[in-house]
Amino acid sequence: MAYISQYEYYENNGNSPENKNWGSYQYVSLEDIVNNFLLMYQGNHSLVNNEPRYKILFHAKRGIQELNYDAFKETKVLQLDVCDNLRFVLPPDYVNWIRVSMWKNQMLFPLTENIQAMSSDAYLQDNDCRILFDINGNVLRPQNSELDQARIDKTKKSIYLNEGSPYNGYEGWCLDGEWYFDWTIGARYGLNTETAYDNPTFKVDQKAGVINFSSGMAGESCVLEYVSDGLYNGDNTTVTVNKLFEDYIYAYIEYAILRSKHGVQEYIVRRAQKQKSALLRNAKIRMSNIHPGRLLMNLRGQDKWIK
Amino acid sequence: MSMINKVRETVLSILNKNNYGYLSPIDYNLFAKQAQLDLFEDYFYVYNKQINAENMRLSGTGHADIARQLNEVIDTFTQYKVLTPAVLNPGAPAVSKQTFDLPDDWYTFVEVIWGTSCEEGTSFSNKECERVSEYEIRRLNRSNLTAPSPQFPAYIFSQQGYPSTEGSGTGNYGNLSNQITLYPPPETSCTLVCALTYVRYPKDPVWTYSELLDPAGRPTGEAFFNSSISGYQDFELPTSDFGDLVNKILQYAGMSIREGSVVAFAQQEQLEQDREEDPMPATKKRTK
């Protein structure tokens, strides 16, 4: 990609959108990656020779996908309201989630993932528990399983100590003239800390493409932080790689081609593999951007007295 | 002085020395064309051999960089042309959206450019197409990651005229001339623009002549070289190929006049030259 003027950078030459080029210098485009690789790493005197461009493009995209999964720190964030069906449809470019939060009282509350099943498939059965079929021999299904229906109807009880808990709303029990309180702070010995959680819970149903919430989430707003693979929409113009990973991508493509090419000596493949791994490690360290200014705030807590 | 005349004089000189006979201008032009094509094609094979020699550390740099010199000669045949869309069906005015006619003189491609021109302003994106085969393009088109796109377009040779993606598959044959089909097709309001950079064949050499006249102004039947006559075309190969051209033409001339000794002489000369230029002497004979 050619260098752009400062006017084009700040104001996109007066065109819309104005912010098109903001921060663009951090990135190298997919087109540049493929072109540079063809020029610099493929040729008569290079290890990679006579490979079609589409192979290089494929491996470049695969490398970018891998980087998006765990190396890039580029998370996407989407906020949507959760209605009575307690469902949040995953965004179209979703690959994996990082954090799910509830937006309430102008504040983000991180939610925890429910360790139990939140949703279920179901088959219709008769009184003898025999499964019912249609005339084509396919099993009949209800619209919602009992589990789902109870959750949507807000009648499902939860093992979490939130409003779905069977003890929710009870201030205590009077037994033989003595009062017992469940919620006394510091007094509930034997508390299962894994489920000691007051906010709504969620579970991602990847195959169904939704996040299912516990009943406390109805009518609330959900903020999903997630990662994509960086290739969504098939638009190659939007595919970019942070320059810190540029060398890694070239090494990845080279390795990916050499390892699957017939007749390449194993020591060459190993060399390419080591180079790729070393570059990834370097890039990750650079990307983590550890410097004193960042550590300062965290380290300030080191001398705090814990009573 | 033009090379084509020098070569002819040398050839005639060798032939006449032993009274082998006369080579007519028409025959000479045919042999010259054939010889030039032979040597032109040889450049690519020798270039490849030089590259292999370089990879085996059998080639030098600077003046010893033979591959660069060969490349320079090949580059002089590079041409650029904006291609015209192919006519879909003879007699019908419709032209293809993706298929383009190739020039007649192309030998090999350097670069095929994919671009679009749209109604709402010109949007020509200068993207290099990749050559893929017929069976590859179908798989590529089905692939999410590698399907041809405006950033990474592709082309196939479609010598049958009708590309499979156009028309309803009537089985009709279209224009049988050489064509290429570009992928992806343009957007609805746009037309595809295709530019080709290629290595062309050398032009056919033509030794043009006039007839000598006697003092009375009557033709004597003896031809002398005249480069001002229409149709004149010199060799396009460099002067370093002079000897090769003479040898090649001598071989053809010897065959023509059924003189085995001429053929043998020319072949011996050729072998000698090949041996000198061979980058890898272990290989006895240059293979094509």
Side-chain angles (χ1 to χ4, degrees):
Chain A
M1 196 175 111
Y3 292 105
I4 57 175
S5 70
Q6 293 185 339
Y7 177 57
E8 188 174 355
Y9 176 79
Y10 282 109
E11 302 196 7
N12 193 18
N13 285 338
N15 298 318
S16 179
E18 186 190 26
N19 62 359
K20 184 186 171 192
N21 297 314
W22 294 355
S24 60
Y25 197 67
Q26 300 168 83
Y27 299 97
V28 56
S29 69
L30 176 65
E31 217 176 320
D32 278 348
I33 288 169
V34 173
N35 201 35
N36 291 343
F37 187 88
L38 287 168
L39 271 173
M40 301 301 164
Y41 296 89
Q42 175 177 272
N44 288 325
H45 309 303
S46 304
L47 288 174
V48 177
N49 195 13
N50 289 341
E51 288 294 335
R53 187 180 66 184
Y54 65 77
K55 272 196 182 179
I56 290 155
L57 176 65
F58 172 79
H59 291 304
K61 286 186 171 179
R62 281 291 304 118
I64 291 169
Q65 282 178 321
E66 293 295 328
L67 288 177
N68 270 278
Y69 298 149
D70 64 356
F72 286 166
K73 294 191 164 185
E74 292 168 21
T75 58
K76 293 191 151 194
V77 187
L78 177 68
Q79 181 170 15
L80 287 175
D81 288 341
V82 178
C83 290
D84 289 341
N85 57 13
L86 298 172
R87 209 171 57 191
F88 183 107
V89 179
L90 297 174
D93 54 349
Y94 171 91
V95 172
N96 200 6
W97 65 276
I98 299 166
R99 186 161 40 214
V100 180
S101 308
M102 177 173 66
W103 174 249
K104 192 172 184 178
N105 300 331
Q106 307 302 308
M107 195 170 166
L108 276 175
F109 296 90
L111 301 184
T112 194
E113 190 179 20
N114 200 313
I115 57 173
Q116 292 186 308
M118 298 278 279
S119 181
S120 162
D121 203 354
Y123 300 150
L124 287 181
Q125 293 170 286
D126 65 11
N127 289 336
D128 296 326
C129 294
R130 293 170 64 86
I131 294 172
L132 302 177
F133 299 90
D134 65 11
I135 54 170
N136 297 318
N138 297 320
V139 74
L140 290 170
R141 290 183 166 89
Q143 188 178 357
N144 288 317
S145 66
E146 282 186 51
L147 176 65
D148 277 311
Q149 197 59 49
R151 185 171 54 85
I152 292 166
D153 293 343
K154 300 181 184 176
T155 57
K156 178 181 174 292
K157 298 299 180 189
S158 168
I159 60 168
Y160 288 86
L161 298 181
N162 53 23
E163 64 180 35
S165 166
Y167 309 114
N168 187 45
Y170 292 93
E171 292 188 346
W173 295 268
C174 183
L175 189 65
D176 298 332
E178 293 288 331
W179 278 93
Y180 297 89
F181 297 96
D182 192 43
W183 297 100
T184 309
I185 294 172
R188 199 175 192 281
Y189 301 108
L191 176 78
N192 183 0
T193 49
E194 191 181 7
T195 57
Y197 182 76
D198 187 50
N199 285 325
T201 56
F202 71 93
K203 187 133 190 160
V204 179
D205 188 342
Q206 284 148 331
K207 277 287 176 191
V210 295
I211 303 174
N212 291 308
F213 288 97
S214 62
S215 53
M217 196 63 187
E220 303 291 354
S221 183
C222 170
V223 174
L224 169 68
E225 292 164 73
Y226 67 101
V227 286
S228 184
D229 68 351
L231 304 180
Y232 177 67
N233 232 353
D235 183 0
N236 290 326
T237 56
T238 59
V239 180
T240 54
V241 176
N242 192 298
K243 281 177 178 168
L244 300 178
F245 288 94
E246 188 176 352
D247 247 12
Y248 164 74
I249 279 288
Y250 298 139
Y252 176 88
I253 299 168
E254 191 173 52
Y255 165 66
I257 289 173
L258 289 174
R259 77 176 167 191
S260 59
K261 197 165 184 166
H262 174 73
V264 179
Q265 295 94 329
E266 188 56 27
Y267 76 91
I268 290 179
V269 179
R270 292 286 298 161
R271 189 170 75 198
Q273 187 186 28
K274 280 181 184 169
Q275 189 186 14
K276 174 201 73 133
S277 303
L279 286 169
L280 179 62
R281 208 160 35 241
N282 279 354
K284 277 185 171 178
I285 292 168
R286 284 181 189 164
M287 200 69 178
S288 63
N289 212 7
I290 300 168
H291 55 76
R294 275 193 148 179
L295 290 173
L296 184 64
M297 291 303 284
N298 302 76
L299 294 176
R300 273 179 178 165
Q302 69 182 338
D303 296 327
K304 193 170 69 179
W305 284 22
I306 301 171
K307 292 175 183 175
Chain B
M1 196 174 172
S2 63
M3 188 162 144
I4 192 168
N5 194 42
K6 278 185 182 172
V7 170
R8 184 170 184 271
E9 282 175 357
T10 311
V11 168
L12 287 180
S13 161
I14 294 170
L15 286 177
N16 291 338
K17 192 172 66 180
N18 294 318
N19 291 326
Y20 282 135
Y22 176 73
L23 185 63
S24 73
I26 294 173
D27 283 347
Y28 174 72
N29 283 338
L30 288 174
F31 299 155
K33 176 187 173 184
Q34 186 64 33
Q36 182 172 246
L37 279 177
D38 273 358
L39 292 177
F40 174 73
E41 281 215 315
D42 250 14
Y43 265 96
F44 295 87
Y45 294 102
V46 175
Y47 180 66
N48 182 47
K49 207 164 185 181
Q50 279 295 336
I51 294 295
N52 291 336
E54 276 183 25
N55 284 334
M56 295 166 71
R57 309 290 293 180
L58 292 172
S59 178
T61 57
H63 293 309
D65 190 351
I66 308 297
R68 179 179 57 83
Q69 294 169 19
L70 294 168
N71 214 356
E72 284 167 2
V73 176
I74 293 170
D75 281 352
T76 58
F77 291 94
T78 306
Q79 293 280 308
Y80 173 85
K81 190 177 182 188
V82 177
L83 302 183
T84 51
V87 176
L88 271 181
N89 201 350
V95 292
S96 170
K97 284 182 176 175
Q98 288 174 261
T99 303
F100 294 83
D101 287 330
L102 293 174
D104 295 330
D105 60 344
W106 71 272
Y107 175 74
T108 188
F109 289 180
V110 175
E111 186 183 58
V112 177
I113 293 293
W114 183 101
T116 53
S117 174
C118 301
E119 286 170 7
E120 61 275 11
T122 305
S123 51
F124 185 84
S125 58
N126 193 21
K127 302 298 175 194
E128 183 185 347
C129 278
E130 182 186 19
R131 156 100 173 94
V132 295
S133 63
E134 270 281 355
Y135 70 87
E136 281 171 322
I137 192 67
R138 287 165 174 75
R139 288 178 186 154
L140 286 177
N141 276 328
R142 289 184 209 116
S143 160
N144 263 349
L145 292 184
T146 58
S149 63
Q151 288 72 43
F152 301 100
Y155 71 89
I156 57 167
F157 279 100
S158 50
Q159 301 197 359
Q160 294 299 310
Y162 265 359
S164 56
T165 52
E166 293 187 41
S168 54
T170 58
N172 291 339
Y173 289 103
N175 186 352
L176 285 172
S177 64
N178 288 337
Q179 294 168 336
I180 52 171
T181 301
L182 272 55
Y183 294 85
E187 290 174 21
T188 317
S189 62
C190 302
T191 53
L192 212 56
V193 181
C194 178
L196 174 69
T197 307
Y198 65 102
V199 176
R200 65 169 172 80
Y201 279 108
K203 290 176 187 164
D204 293 349
V206 181
W207 186 82
T208 47
Y209 62 97
S210 300
E211 280 190 54
L212 272 180
L213 302 177
D214 65 10
R218 290 177 301 237
T220 59
E222 194 176 339
F224 73 95
F225 177 60
N226 186 350
S227 63
S228 60
I229 286 184
S230 157
Y232 164 73
Q233 178 61 53
D234 200 357
F235 286 117
E236 293 194 301
L237 294 175
T239 314
S240 57
D241 283 323
F242 184 91
D244 285 332
L245 284 168
V246 169
N247 285 333
K248 286 270 178 198
I249 294 170
L250 267 179
Q251 283 179 43
Y252 296 129
M255 295 288 283
S256 170
I257 59 181
R258 298 184 184 181
E259 279 295 346
S261 54
V262 175
V263 178
F265 168 75
Q267 280 178 339
Q268 184 59 37
E269 285 290 303
Q270 188 75 50
L271 278 174
E272 197 67 37
Q273 196 149 354
D274 284 355
R275 205 172 297 123
E276 283 169 16
E277 293 175 1
D278 195 344
M280 287 186 280
T283 316
K284 293 290 182 198
K285 197 171 183 326
R286 184 184 302 164
T287 52
K288 284 192 176 181

